Amino acid sequence: MSIEVVKTLPEDFQGINPHNLYLYAKAYLANLRAGTAHTKTRSDVKGGGKKPYRQKGTGRARQGSIRAPQFVGGGVAHGPKNTRNWSQKINKKQKRVALKYALNEKAENEALFIVDSIKIESAKTKDAVAFLNQINQRDYLVVVDTLDEKTFLAFRNIKNAYIIELDELNAYDVASFYSVIFEKSAFEKVIKG
C-alpha cells in the first residue's frame, strides 16, 4: 500500500481568504444547536392565584403570588426561551471555498495523505490502528469514496480517528483534525470539484 503526501494543490485551492472558513465553521456549529433550552415565567407556572398573605400588617414585604421569581417553585426571570431560531444560512459557493481553504492548509502543513484503497477486510480495530500507525500523526480524518461495514467497524472505536464517506466531507471536519487521509478515488473527485 503506497502512501502519498500531498504538498501542493491546484491553483484554485490557493489564495483563499481564511475568513470563509471562519464563517462556515460559525454557521456549521450554530446549525448543530438544538435550541431547546426553555424556562417558564411566572405566568406559565401552575398555581399562585391567591395572595400568599395579606398586604399590610405582617411586617413582611408585600407579595402578590407565590409563583413570582423570588419564591422557590416560582417562575424564572429572564431565562432562556425556545422561540429563537439559531440556524444560519451559508451559500453553496462559500461552503466550497471554505473546504478548498481547509484542504490547502492541510497540504501546506504536509498533513494531507492519499492512499490507494482504505479497506479493512478483517473488521478488526488493531488492523485499522496498524494502518494509521504507518502515517503516524496525532489524529486522523479518513475520507473514503464508499464506506463498507467492515471498515466502519474497524475504525469506529479509535478515539483519534473518524471515518466518513466523501459526500459527508465538510470544511469544519477537515479543519478539526490534524491530518486528513483520502482514498485516491475520493481525492480525485474533490480535486475535480
Side-chain angles (χ1 to χ4, degrees), residues 12-152:
D12 60 325
F13 282 74
Q14 295 167 11
I16 296 170
N17 189 337
H19 191 64
N20 288 301
L21 179 59
Y22 161 74
L23 291 174
Y24 177 78
K26 193 173 114 176
Y28 181 85
L29 292 172
N31 294 340
L32 288 179
R33 287 185 75 158
T36 53
H38 181 77
T39 54
K40 291 182 177 182
T41 63
R42 60 186 291 170
S43 63
D44 301 322
V45 180
K46 193 174 179 181
K50 173 177 169 282
K51 277 175 77 70
Y53 46 82
R54 60 198 175 98
Q55 181 90 345
K56 292 181 171 290
T58 62
R60 292 187 286 179
R62 58 193 177 183
Q63 301 293 343
S65 169
I66 58 165
R67 293 305 178 221
Q70 66 269 28
F71 286 102
V72 173
V76 175
H78 312 298
K81 289 285 177 192
N82 63 1
T83 54
R84 182 163 175 188
N85 180 7
W86 293 98
S87 64
Q88 293 181 17
K89 182 184 174 294
I90 188 150
N91 298 332
K92 286 181 187 175
K93 184 178 179 182
Q94 199 162 29
K95 280 184 188 178
R96 285 195 298 269
V97 169
L99 178 60
K100 284 182 176 183
Y101 174 79
L103 288 171
N104 191 52
E105 279 293 296
K106 296 297 173 208
E108 286 178 358
N109 295 329
E110 296 183 11
L112 186 61
F113 302 92
I114 300 173
V115 180
D116 296 331
S117 173
I118 301 170
K119 293 249 187 286
I120 310 292
E121 293 297 332
S122 64
K124 292 188 179 291
T125 302
K126 69 178 182 182
D127 293 339
V129 169
F131 164 73
L132 294 174
N133 285 342
Q134 292 176 333
I135 295 168
N136 195 22
Q137 295 287 322
R138 188 170 66 210
D139 53 28
Y140 314 86
L141 176 67
V142 183
V143 184
V144 294
D145 211 355
T146 52
L147 183 59
D148 63 286
E149 191 178 354
K150 288 184 176 182
T151 306
F152 171 72

